[in-house]
Amino acid sequence: MKSIKLLLLAILLSTGNYIAAQSSPLSFTINAGGSLSDMRVKGSSTDSKYGFRGGVGLEMNLPNNLFLQTGLDFAMKGANSNSMAVGDINGDGYSPDVYMAEEKVRASYLVLPIKAGYRLNVSRAVRLNFTFGPYLAYGIGGKYKAKEALKMALPGDRELSNGTYTEYSEFEYDTFSSETLKRFDMGLAGSAGVECKRILLNFGYEHGLINYSRGSASSYNSALFLTLGYRIF
C-alpha cells in the first residue's frame, strides 16, 4: 500500500512539473542528434556529409500558443566534391588536358537560432511544434583536404594515350583560414517536431544565404537535422 502511494505521488509530481513547464514564461531544453549537411558549390557536384549536432535551447512562451526560440548548438557540417575540366589547362598550346580535383571539407560551427514558433496541442500530454526564422553561425574548426591531378597532352597526342604527363598534388588546410572558408555564416532555418510530456523529437532544415568561400566558386551551407531532446523546465 505504501509503495502504491509513493508511485501515485511520483506521478502527480511529474504531471505537476510538466503542467508548470507549459505555463512558465521561460523554458530550457537540451538536445542531441545528427545532421546531413551539404555545401552547395557552384559548378561542382557535391556529396552530403553526416555529422553530430547538439545543444541547448531557451524558449519564451507568448499568448495564443506562440513562442520565441533561441539557444546555442554545436553542428558538424561539410561535404565532398568532385570536379573535372578538359581543354588546354596548362596553357602550353597542346590539348586536350584533363584536370581532376577531389575536395573534402569538415567544418564545426556554433549556431545561434532566432526563431518564432507555434504549438498545436494534440492532447494533454502531446503537442506539435513548428518554428521558422534566421540563424547565425560561427566556424570554430575543421579540416579542408584536396587532391588534384593534371593529365597533360604532349605534342601530337590528341587522344591522351601514351604521349601524356600527369602531375599529382595534395593539400590540407584548416577549414577556416585566409585561403579556404570564411567563419561567419547566416541563413534561414525551420523545424517541425512532436513533444510528449518532456521528450522532444525535432526535424529541421537550415539554408545558408552567405557565400562562405574565399575562392572563385560560390558556396553555401545547407543541412537537414534530426534531434532528440528533453525539456528541463
Side-chain angles (χ1 to χ4, degrees):
M1 186 66 179
K2 185 177 179 180
S3 61
I4 295 176
K5 289 181 178 179
L6 290 175
L7 178 60
L8 290 174
L9 179 60
I11 294 173
L12 288 173
L13 288 174
S14 176
T15 304
N17 289 337
Y18 172 68
I19 294 173
Q22 286 185 308
S23 58
S24 174
L26 293 177
S27 183
F28 184 76
T29 64
I30 57 174
N31 67 84
S35 66
L36 182 63
S37 63
D38 203 350
M39 294 180 163
R40 310 185 314 274
V41 181
K42 185 176 181 181
S44 298
S45 61
T46 58
D47 297 321
S48 301
K49 170 69 178 174
Y50 291 98
F52 171 80
R53 185 186 185 97
V56 296
L58 180 65
E59 297 177 359
M60 176 181 290
N61 295 318
L62 302 174
N64 302 317
N65 292 335
L66 299 174
F67 64 95
L68 298 177
Q69 183 185 80
T70 186
L72 188 65
D73 290 336
F74 172 79
M76 298 177 65
K77 300 184 178 183
N80 300 331
S81 69
N82 296 278
S83 59
M84 184 177 71
V86 179
D88 185 12
I89 305 297
N90 60 359
D92 62 359
Y94 302 107
S95 63
D97 301 326
V98 178
Y99 170 80
M100 294 171 288
E102 176 185 305
E103 298 174 298
K104 295 182 178 180
V105 182
R106 306 293 180 263
S108 298
Y109 285 91
L110 292 178
V111 183
L112 176 70
I114 309 171
K115 299 188 288 185
Y118 176 76
R119 295 191 182 95
L120 178 63
N121 294 320
V122 178
S123 67
R124 186 178 180 84
V126 179
R127 56 186 178 179
L128 303 179
N129 299 323
F130 305 93
T131 68
F132 182 78
Y135 75 86
L136 306 175
Y138 186 79
I140 58 173
K143 288 296 181 182
Y144 173 92
K145 298 180 180 180
K147 295 180 180 180
E148 297 179 339
L150 178 59
K151 194 172 185 179
M152 295 172 286
L154 298 179
D157 180 26
R158 297 187 177 276
E159 301 297 332
L160 283 178
S161 54
N162 295 324
T164 61
Y165 175 71
T166 304
E167 285 187 351
Y168 297 95
S169 56
E170 294 187 19
F171 309 92
E172 182 174 328
Y173 304 99
D174 291 334
T175 297
F176 303 104
S177 70
S178 59
E179 299 178 336
T180 50
L181 306 183
K182 304 171 187 176
R183 291 185 182 272
F184 181 70
D185 186 33
M186 181 178 70
L188 295 175
S191 69
V194 59
E195 178 176 354
C196 182
K197 293 190 176 180
R198 293 179 178 270
I199 306 300
L200 304 100
L201 181 66
N202 286 303
F203 176 77
Y205 175 70
E206 290 178 347
H207 187 84
L209 300 177
I210 289 183
N211 174 21
Y212 60 82
S213 174
R214 296 186 186 277
S216 57
S218 300
S219 304
Y220 301 85
N221 274 315
S222 64
L224 291 168
F225 59 88
L226 180 67
T227 60
L228 183 65
Y230 181 77
R231 188 177 300 279
I232 297 177
F233 65 83

